[in-house]
Amino acid sequence: KWSFEELGCLSRKAANVLSEACGLQRGDRVIAVLPRVPEWWLLSVACMRAGIVFIPGTSQLTAKDISYRLQASKAKCIITSDTLAPALEPVLPGSQFLKSQLIVGRGSRDGWLNLKELL
């Protein structure tokens, strides 16, 4: 649980992570494929702060669905959990606009930034 003060502070930090570590600018798009975790709310508020378009997706999306959404939205970043990342990795090389990949969770993977470490 976070208080409104904690959410405000953390969302400012997360907005900086998206802008600096992920290299996103105002108007860029982010796809979040996350289960029900508090970080979903944190990232949606952080995107609002930074002027980044937040595109939510459920963990039930197939690889084909994600590939289509990446291409249609021209998303520059994808955010997912450490448990869902292996299922998403096969479709990521086909996305020509994708710049960064962000993991929410304790795990780490090659080629992915970890939100908790960056905060």
Side-chain angles (χ1 to χ4, degrees):
K1 291 185 177 183
W2 294 319
S3 68
F4 283 109
E5 182 180 355
E6 291 169 323
L7 180 61
C9 180
L10 284 171
S11 67
R12 283 188 289 278
K13 288 180 181 181
N16 287 336
V17 167
L18 293 172
S19 298
E20 295 170 11
C22 295
L24 300 175
Q25 298 175 350
R26 181 173 290 278
D28 286 345
R29 294 166 194 88
V30 168
I31 293 182
V33 181
L34 291 169
R36 290 179 151 195
V37 293
E39 288 82 3
W40 189 95
W41 294 101
L42 171 66
L43 289 163
S44 66
V45 173
C47 284
M48 285 185 243
R49 284 185 180 277
I52 296 167
V53 179
F54 184 76
I55 304 169
T58 71
S59 55
Q60 296 173 336
L61 292 173
T62 66
K64 184 179 177 182
D65 296 331
I66 293 166
S67 178
Y68 170 76
R69 289 167 195 232
L70 283 169
Q71 296 302 2
S73 68
K74 299 178 182 173
K76 293 189 178 178
C77 179
I78 190 162
I79 304 170
T80 193
S81 67
D82 49 354
T83 55
L84 293 173
L88 300 181
E89 285 180 340
V91 300
L92 299 182
S95 177
Q96 59 196 15
F97 304 101
L98 201 61
K99 283 184 176 179
S100 57
Q101 301 152 286
L102 193 63
I103 278 188
V104 172
R106 294 188 183 107
S108 62
R109 299 186 66 78
D110 288 339
W112 292 80
L113 301 170
N114 186 299
L115 179 66
K116 290 187 186 234
E117 291 174 6
L118 294 170
L119 285 177

